[in-house]
């Protein structure tokens, strides 16, 4: 279950507005999740065409970033680990640079070389817990300092054979942002894109703020509150409740701690509110690794970012701005 949930039912679709003004909604499978677009505009058929263009751009970028697609830039970098640098498109270089920045900012808690922990598999029907000895061996390959970027040459290089990248924690938001950019460039001023609990908005929905509910990761059928957002905003979420399975009575989830080689413990979920994707990209995963206390300190150093952290002990922490935003949403 995604922690952020657009509450589109809060708006009355049966209004006095003409039919052509009804918001257009679409859903497609991308990046291993469901990506929803809601766009509010004048012309229904033209709006559907614009939405198709947004999906096409997101699919183009997914093909660059996915470690599951053998021809992607990310797969090529991993295959050439310890052998040679690989030429990468500008979009990939930008995300790799962001990942390095988050690695430094989080004192190594966010590390894209967790892709080296290849013994884990969270895909349905293939779920696997690796042996302790395999985790120990592969963990020696997890070190983002061994990602060498040469911007002038446009290359990326993993310096040890066997290393691999996983950009799942830092590529999705830029891909969704690219979809929103297409909508804006095509003249759409009011839209929402939801990708598996990461929600981007611009403008309003029929003259009212968009509403985004925050699920309780301990009980996903329950909301912890709702945010009213308008203009430009992003609600990003990370948690142990979307891709997981149980093995020997223990919940194993897809956010791996680069320091241990195992799924993170101590935090069930994180929701972040900001104006720009760049402010929060990779931050939620870093907070899952760092734990509740250190995660709070990390958010405190990010101006303009508000957070909700649901800890493993059942407690929930709200930044002052998040608490105020939820209070406004309840009003």
């Amino acid at each position: 279950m995604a922690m952020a949930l657009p509450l589109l039912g809060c708006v009355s679709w049966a209004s006095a507005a003409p039919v052509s003004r009804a918001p257009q909604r679409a859903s497609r499978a991308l990046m291993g999740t469901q990506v929803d677009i809601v766009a509010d505009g004048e012309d229904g058929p033209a709006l559907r065409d614009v939405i198709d263009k947004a999906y096409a751009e997101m699919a183009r970028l997914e093909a660059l970033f996915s470690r599951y697609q053998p021809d992607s830039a990310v797969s090529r970098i991993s295959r050439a680990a310890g052998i040679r640098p690989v030429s990468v498109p500008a979009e990939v270089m930008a995300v790799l640079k962001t990942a390095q920045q988050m690695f430094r900012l989080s004192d190594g808690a966010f590390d894209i070389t967790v892709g080296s922990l290849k013994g884990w598999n969270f895909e349905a029907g293939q779920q696997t817990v690796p042996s302790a000895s395999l985790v120990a061996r592969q963990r020696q390959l997890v070190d983002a300092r061994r990602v060498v970027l040469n911007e002038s040459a446009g290359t990326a290089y993993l310096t040890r054979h066997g290393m691999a990248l996983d950009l799942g924690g830092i590529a999705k938001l830029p891909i969704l942002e690219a979809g929103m950019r297409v909508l804006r460039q095509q003249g759409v001023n009011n839209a929402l894109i939801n990708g598996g609990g990461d929600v981007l908005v611009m403008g309003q929905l029929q003259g009212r703020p968009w509403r985004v509910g925050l699920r309780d990761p301990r009980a996903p059928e329950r909301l912890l509150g709702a945010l009213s957002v308008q203009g430009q905003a992003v609600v990003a979420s990370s948690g142990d409740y979307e891709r997981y399975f149980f093995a020997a009575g223990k919940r194993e989830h897809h956010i791996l701690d680069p320091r241990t080689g195992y799924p993170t413990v101590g935090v069930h979920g994180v929701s972040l509110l900001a104006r720009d994707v760049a402010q929060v990209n990779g931050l939620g995963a870093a907070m899952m690794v760092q734990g509740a206390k250190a995660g709070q300190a990390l958010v405190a150093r990010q101006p303009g970012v508000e957070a909700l952290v649901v800890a493993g002990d059942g407690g929930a922490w709200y930044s002052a701005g998040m608490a105020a935003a939820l209070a406004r949403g309840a009003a």
Side-chain angles (χ1 to χ4, degrees):
M1 290 290 185
M3 198 162 166
L5 173 72
L7 300 178
L8 302 175
C10 294
V11 174
S12 173
W13 303 102
S15 66
V19 173
S20 63
R21 285 282 288 117
Q24 294 292 321
R25 295 197 265 187
S27 297
R28 295 189 191 172
L30 279 174
M31 299 179 284
T33 190
Q34 178 176 302
V35 176
D36 308 310
I37 295 179
V38 181
D40 196 4
E42 296 292 339
D43 187 315
L47 207 49
R48 287 193 290 274
D49 182 60
V50 171
I51 289 172
D52 286 342
K53 290 178 180 177
Y55 277 121
E57 173 65 359
M58 290 189 285
R60 181 186 74 84
L61 292 174
E62 180 187 14
L64 298 179
F65 288 111
S66 174
R67 64 184 176 131
Y68 301 108
Q69 298 191 24
D71 294 331
S72 73
V74 166
S75 293
R76 288 188 290 108
I77 294 168
S78 298
R79 276 199 304 274
I83 302 171
R84 64 182 179 278
V86 171
S87 295
V88 299
E91 299 97 328
V92 175
M93 180 64 75
V95 168
L96 292 174
K97 282 183 61 182
T98 300
Q100 286 192 328
Q101 293 164 0
M102 183 53 66
F103 175 79
R104 292 190 292 268
L105 182 70
S106 66
D107 297 322
F110 184 87
D111 191 323
I112 54 174
T113 65
V114 292
S116 306
L117 297 164
K118 300 171 187 174
W120 290 97
N121 194 325
F122 297 92
E123 302 308 308
Q126 306 173 47
Q127 296 159 336
T128 307
V129 178
S131 67
S133 60
L134 181 59
V135 170
R137 287 199 306 275
Q138 293 181 339
R139 197 178 66 80
Q140 302 307 310
L141 299 171
V142 178
D143 186 353
R145 292 169 296 186
R146 292 182 174 273
V147 181
V148 178
L149 304 180
N150 185 329
E151 285 191 76
S152 59
T155 62
Y157 179 44
L158 299 176
T159 64
R160 288 188 64 183
H161 181 70
M163 292 184 73
L165 296 177
D166 179 358
L167 300 187
I170 203 159
K172 185 166 73 164
L173 281 174
I175 291 174
L176 298 177
E177 185 179 40
M180 188 67 88
R181 191 179 306 120
V182 168
L183 297 178
R184 188 181 300 112
Q185 290 169 346
Q186 296 290 321
V188 176
N189 297 314
N190 303 287
L192 174 148
I193 299 181
N194 170 38
D198 290 322
V199 181
L200 279 64
V201 306
M202 66 174 171
Q204 297 180 316
L205 177 58
Q206 297 194 320
R208 304 181 189 181
W210 300 94
R211 286 176 58 78
V212 180
L214 301 184
R215 292 185 194 266
D216 185 342
R218 301 155 300 188
E221 70 282 357
R222 188 172 70 213
L223 291 182
L224 291 171
L227 299 168
S228 291
V229 288
Q230 58 187 323
Q232 181 177 316
V234 53
V235 182
S237 58
S238 300
D240 64 6
Y241 45 82
E242 189 163 7
R243 289 179 63 205
Y244 69 92
F245 62 93
F246 286 94
K250 183 182 177 188
R251 178 193 290 257
E252 306 288 5
H253 67 91
H254 75 289
I255 301 177
L256 301 177
D257 186 334
R259 304 167 301 186
T260 66
Y262 289 90
T264 63
V265 295
V267 175
H268 279 314
V270 175
S271 283
L272 301 166
L273 170 65
R275 183 178 187 276
D276 298 304
V277 161
Q279 295 172 281
V280 296
N281 197 18
L283 186 58
M287 293 170 66
M288 292 284 295
V289 172
Q290 285 192 327
K293 293 294 185 187
Q296 292 169 29
L298 185 58
V299 165
R301 303 203 304 270
Q302 312 306 310
V305 176
E306 305 301 339
L308 161 62
V309 180
V310 179
D313 62 7
W317 173 82
Y318 303 80
S319 67
M322 180 66 85
L326 287 167
R328 289 194 298 273

